[in-house]
Amino acid sequence: MTLNSPSTTEGLTTNFRSTHPIIDWVNAVFGQLITPLEGVQPEYASLNSVREPVPKGPSVTVLGAQPITLEGTADAAELRRREAQAVAQTASQAISDGWSVDEGSPDEPALRPARFGDIAILIPSRTSLADLEDALEEVSVPYRVEASSLVYNTREVRDTLHALQAVADPTDELSLVAALRSSLYGCGDDDLAHWRSACNGRFSLISRLPEDYDPDHPVAAAITHLAELHEAKRWTSPPALLARLIRERGAFETAVAGGRPRDVWRRLRFVMDQAQAWADTGGSNLRDYLQWARLQGADKARVTESVLPETDDDSLRILTVHAAKGLEFPVVMLSGMTARLQKPTRGPNVAFDSDGMPAVRMRKGVESQNYEAWKSEDGQMDAAERLRLLYVACTRACDHLVVSLYRKDPGESDNKPNTAAWALADAGAALTATWGIDTQDVDHTPTGDADPTTPRDTSSTELDRAKLPDRDEWSQQLQSSLEEASKPLAMSASGIARFNGITDDAVDPDSGSVPDPDSGSGSDSGSDPDSGSGSAGSAADDDSDPGLHKDPGDEDANLWRKGRYGTAVGRAVHAVLQDVDLLSRDGLADLARHHAGAEGVTSRTSTVTALAQAALDTAVAREAAESQHWRELFVAASFDERVLEGYIDLVYRSSEGLVVVDWKTDVVTDDADIAAKVDRYRLQGAAYAAALQAVTGETVARMVFVFMNSVNTEVVEAELADLESAVTEAKAAVAQAMPAAA
């Protein structure tokens, strides 16, 4: 073609891959399905083939030629199960019947019997993968799953990610139980039931194990190991943690028992390599890695798995249609045709129409004016793309094509589901007489001698079902369960006061108490910021009382991150008291200057210094300096199946017992005001003492509040009277606590 010649279009219509019966079938079916639509789909161009069919085995096989009558709410799952069984049995039959494959050329054929390695099952999405795996294992067909979006959804990889999710978030009981039931830990349902009922154990990595528990109990051993990983995640990278989990739980060794060790090994190595590649790009957080791994398992993931050829591994291959582009296989089996050609839109959606204007949908009924027009156009393009993918899948076959048309009979209704199976069926995919298609109706019972459209009889193996309650009884049980579940399992010491109505309004307005705008508080009741856990009644729930605001201890944080709770001067003072040596007081002025600067109150550095100095001059601070003491001490104890937790500013051991000290940068004016403030913080202080006594077994002799007045830098020590009664009341408050919304 010269530069001055008019442009021409040449069509590539000769197919050198597939035999002519396959191409004839493709032309007949997709010639009807792929229709021209301006801006969406060009006109279908028929293909020509140069290859003759192989002598043994059908060129095109259709499974589920007739729709199936199903009843019940689980008909979609049953349809997928039956389809998977038909595909698996056909794959087995292809090998046993010796279907021919041609390794030569049209001029010089080289025929041989098919092997499992010649078969590829192509699926449009991962929805049907689990049923397909089960069906292949049932008929002892070796297989390997390729394409990363499928690898991340295989059983072994899912089990590994469930375990890592439990490690990353110790409050995720669902992931923990899933990990316990996996092959990594091998806990049966009987073990889980025994642990919960007989041992009174909990499915938690942060709760104490039951007293006198058997360390050899499978659940106890599993939780102990996962708890060790949870502790190690603070200094271990995600790929290293993943490798440790796989190594210590013998995942490679366990795979031998499954009969397909090489496939499992390849999957695990692939996931480990991908995790390291993710970390090499700068990833470091376990939760971020798990989020990334979930994206790799999404249907629209485009990460390709590089699979090295394994000539001595005779296994069937499972791929997505996307992953099969550009490839060819002697035998192609198209499964998962129950998937819809056009999926419904859910949730928010933002796009741009043909004019470049945004088309926005927030939810049903809340959308821009041009959204419906764009949605119609986009739906047409999406459906056309899915049909083209079906075309690509079918033309991957060289010698044999097996297409599943399993679909539910709509009955008397003409409302057929918009699925790939119905689209192919309506286009004449099952017309045997016209196109020489062999149709197979596969039996779906273990013996293979029952009607394939009749559901399998499992009554002899199922347990007797409990009688369902009537609706009113069920509603009452549901409401009771919801109320019980809404009760907080964990509560902070500061949260007790809020749950029991102790707020600023509870203080006598005539007491003369004047709130300090710079007031802060000690640190309490936080949770591991990386664990995902939280305590009911956190400080964020109530902004009315700075004295009740608490956050996690941060003794290991950098200087500019310490004491970041409460407000301004109060936070700076607490940070100084958290760091300074109680006995020598070395560097007090420098610490005050740094923390005041970090809080943006450099002009009040002298106030911070004076308050910290005054606090260190109190009797409790001097006694603590001369005794064994702890600062920012986290405590957590269980009361009536609820956890009370908190961070105590200062604890020291005296001759009478333990002494709890809570710093309060709060204005107190006279004795009445002091009494009112002590009453306000009474349950909070008692909760510290209750938790400390419960976990140490030692007596808390005293609970002392130290009020530091930021106006005149005076310090007042106030001991909580009748501590024993206050502790009893705090325990009761924990047991009876309900969420703020209740």
Side-chain angles (χ1 to χ4, degrees):
M1 181 186 300
T2 65
L3 293 177
N4 296 326
S5 64
S7 61
T8 59
T9 301
E10 295 290 340
L12 302 177
T13 59
T14 302
N15 182 297
F16 296 92
R17 176 188 304 118
S18 307
T19 62
H20 74 73
I22 295 177
I23 294 302
D24 291 345
W25 182 89
V26 169
N27 286 335
V29 173
F30 287 94
Q32 296 186 49
L33 288 177
I34 298 179
T35 57
L37 183 62
E38 185 178 357
V40 176
Q41 174 63 53
E43 184 178 0
Y44 179 79
S46 296
L47 297 176
N48 302 311
S49 175
V50 299
R51 292 192 58 217
E52 294 298 321
V54 293
K56 193 167 186 179
S59 295
V60 180
T61 302
V62 172
L63 304 178
Q66 300 300 321
I68 299 175
T69 301
L70 293 174
E71 297 180 359
T73 57
D75 52 1
E78 176 64 14
L79 198 62
R80 287 195 299 268
R81 185 188 69 82
R82 292 192 180 197
E83 180 185 47
Q85 285 184 333
V87 171
Q89 292 181 32
T90 303
S92 179
Q93 183 178 339
I95 303 304
S96 61
D97 290 351
W99 289 8
S100 302
V101 298
D102 187 357
E103 292 183 329
S105 64
D107 296 331
E108 297 181 2
L111 301 174
R112 63 168 176 80
R115 300 188 294 261
F116 283 119
D118 297 320
I119 303 175
I121 299 179
L122 307 185
I123 56 179
S125 69
R126 59 185 171 84
T127 306
S128 59
L129 178 60
D131 293 296
L132 197 55
E133 287 183 305
D134 292 340
L136 291 170
E137 290 177 357
E138 186 177 345
V139 295
S140 301
V141 172
Y143 68 92
R144 64 178 186 264
V145 178
E146 299 180 5
S148 65
S149 62
L150 296 182
V151 170
Y152 278 92
N153 288 282
T154 54
R155 185 177 298 108
E156 296 81 9
V157 177
R158 288 200 313 269
D159 291 343
T160 303
L161 295 180
H162 278 314
L164 287 182
Q165 178 62 34
V167 170
D169 184 358
T171 65
D172 190 344
E173 293 188 8
L174 183 61
S175 294
L176 175 58
V177 171
L180 295 176
R181 297 179 73 248
S182 71
S183 59
L184 290 173
Y185 294 97
C187 298
D189 290 340
D190 54 340
D191 297 322
L192 300 178
H194 183 267
W195 174 255
R196 188 67 185 93
S197 59
C199 301
N200 197 28
R202 298 183 62 183
F203 298 115
S204 172
L205 302 185
I206 55 177
S207 298
R208 290 189 302 174
L209 295 174
E211 296 182 1
D212 301 327
Y213 76 95
D214 181 5
D216 294 329
H217 193 289
V219 177
I223 289 179
T224 300
H225 182 260
L226 287 168
E228 292 174 355
L229 296 181
H230 172 64
E231 182 67 22
K233 77 179 178 68
R234 301 174 184 276
W235 56 81
T236 308
S237 67
L241 203 65
L242 173 64
R244 176 180 171 181
L245 171 66
I246 292 174
R247 181 183 67 255
E248 294 183 354
R249 300 313 302 176
F252 285 103
E253 294 81 357
T254 305
V256 177
R260 296 176 295 100
R262 296 178 62 162
D263 191 33
V264 176
W265 297 341
R266 181 180 55 79
R267 297 176 194 174
L268 294 177
R269 286 196 299 266
F270 171 73
V271 172
M272 292 168 66
D273 291 343
Q274 287 282 291
Q276 187 59 57
W278 173 85
D280 290 343
T281 62
S284 60
N285 184 275
L286 181 58
R287 289 194 175 193
D288 291 343
Y289 166 71
L290 291 171
Q291 178 64 27
W292 176 85
R294 281 191 288 270
L295 292 176
Q296 306 315 298
D299 284 341
K300 296 184 179 180
R302 292 293 181 267
V303 180
T304 302
E305 177 189 7
S306 298
V307 181
L308 296 177
E310 297 180 89
T311 56
D312 60 336
D313 182 24
D314 186 22
S315 299
L316 176 152
R317 302 165 67 180
I318 303 176
L319 305 89
T320 61
V321 177
H322 275 290
K325 288 182 176 180
L327 303 179
E328 61 181 44
F329 313 93
V331 183
V332 167
M333 309 185 75
L334 196 56
S335 183
M337 295 297 99
T338 57
R340 290 183 176 271
L341 288 177
Q342 185 175 349
K343 294 185 178 180
T345 302
R346 295 186 177 91
N349 194 11
V350 179
F352 293 90
D353 62 16
S354 56
D355 296 328
M357 298 299 294
V360 182
R361 177 188 188 272
M362 300 306 297
R363 58 180 175 82
K364 185 176 181 180
V366 182
E367 55 196 30
S368 59
Q369 292 181 349
N370 62 337
Y371 182 80
E372 281 299 324
W374 171 86
K375 179 182 176 183
S376 177
E377 179 182 344
D378 183 69
Q380 290 177 336
M381 298 185 67
D382 187 50
E385 172 64 15
R386 292 177 184 274
L387 287 176
R388 289 192 291 267
L389 282 176
L390 289 180
Y391 171 83
V392 169
C394 293
T395 54
R396 299 306 94 196
C398 296
D399 303 305
H400 306 275
L401 174 63
V402 180
V403 179
S404 168
L405 297 184
Y406 270 74
R407 61 204 186 279
K408 180 182 177 182
D409 191 342
E412 298 180 358
S413 172
D414 293 332
N415 186 21
K416 297 178 181 179
N418 184 25
T419 64
W422 271 111
L424 291 169
D426 289 343
L431 297 179
T432 305
T434 304
W435 302 110
I437 304 170
D438 294 328
T439 55
Q440 291 185 335
D441 286 328
V442 180
D443 294 333
H444 296 281
T445 61
T447 57
D449 54 3
D451 185 348
T453 62
T454 303
R456 183 171 51 177
D457 180 14
T458 58
S459 58
S460 60
T461 60
E462 291 186 354
L463 298 176
D464 293 337
R465 298 183 182 274
K467 182 180 179 180
L468 294 176
D470 58 40
R471 185 170 184 82
D472 290 340
E473 182 181 354
W474 175 84
S475 297
Q476 293 177 359
Q477 293 176 358
L478 175 63
Q479 186 62 31
S480 176
S481 299
L482 291 175
E483 290 177 356
E484 183 63 26
S486 67
K487 295 180 181 179
L489 297 179
M491 165 167 279
S492 65
S494 54
I496 291 179
R498 285 189 293 277
F499 278 123
N500 287 271
I502 307 300
T503 64
D504 284 339
D505 296 333
V507 181
D508 183 359
D510 297 326
S511 66
S513 175
V514 180
D516 178 8
D518 292 323
S519 66
S521 72
S523 57
D524 169 63
S525 146
S527 53
D528 178 8
D530 195 43
S531 71
S533 63
S535 301
S538 65
D541 296 336
D542 184 5
D543 295 330
S544 62
D545 194 341
L548 293 176
H549 286 201
K550 300 289 184 177
D551 275 337
D554 51 3
E555 60 276 7
D556 295 328
N558 293 324
L559 179 65
W560 54 88
R561 297 294 304 277
K562 288 179 178 291
R564 300 289 82 87
Y565 34 68
T567 55
V569 171
R571 293 195 298 267
V573 173
H574 276 85
V576 174
L577 294 176
Q578 181 179 330
D579 283 345
V580 70
D581 185 279
L582 298 184
L583 188 60
S584 67
R585 307 180 186 182
D586 291 340
L588 175 62
D590 290 337
L591 285 172
R593 183 174 63 257
H594 283 300
H595 288 299
E599 288 300 327
V601 288
T602 306
S603 62
R604 304 197 66 183
T605 298
S606 59
T607 301
V608 174
T609 305
L611 285 174
Q613 184 66 57
L616 295 174
D617 287 337
T618 59
V620 288
R622 292 195 301 270
E623 290 178 9
E626 299 290 344
S627 309
Q628 186 180 17
H629 63 270
W630 303 266
R631 285 177 287 183
E632 295 300 315
L633 179 67
F634 174 75
V635 291
S638 178
F639 298 103
D640 193 21
E641 297 188 355
R642 288 178 177 81
V643 176
L644 171 66
E645 59 183 10
Y647 280 84
I648 305 177
D649 290 342
L650 174 63
V651 178
Y652 67 92
R653 181 172 282 116
S654 69
S655 58
E656 300 172 340
L658 298 177
V659 178
V660 174
V661 179
D662 193 17
W663 310 116
K664 300 289 186 187
T665 48
D666 212 341
V667 176
V668 288
T669 56
D670 52 30
D671 291 343
D673 193 17
I674 294 173
K677 291 294 176 68
V678 171
D679 186 62
R680 174 189 298 182
Y681 304 131
R682 179 171 178 270
L683 288 182
Q684 181 185 7
Y688 293 145
L692 194 59
Q693 289 182 152
V695 297
T696 64
E698 299 185 40
T699 300
V700 175
R702 300 168 58 205
M703 165 67 221
V704 181
F705 295 106
V706 178
F707 296 103
M708 298 174 286
N709 191 330
S710 61
V711 176
N712 54 22
T713 66
E714 292 181 353
V715 174
V716 176
E717 296 179 70
E719 183 172 340
L720 180 59
D722 198 2
L723 180 58
E724 185 175 350
S725 297
V727 167
T728 301
E729 187 178 344
K731 292 179 180 179
V734 173
Q736 298 172 4
M738 291 293 290

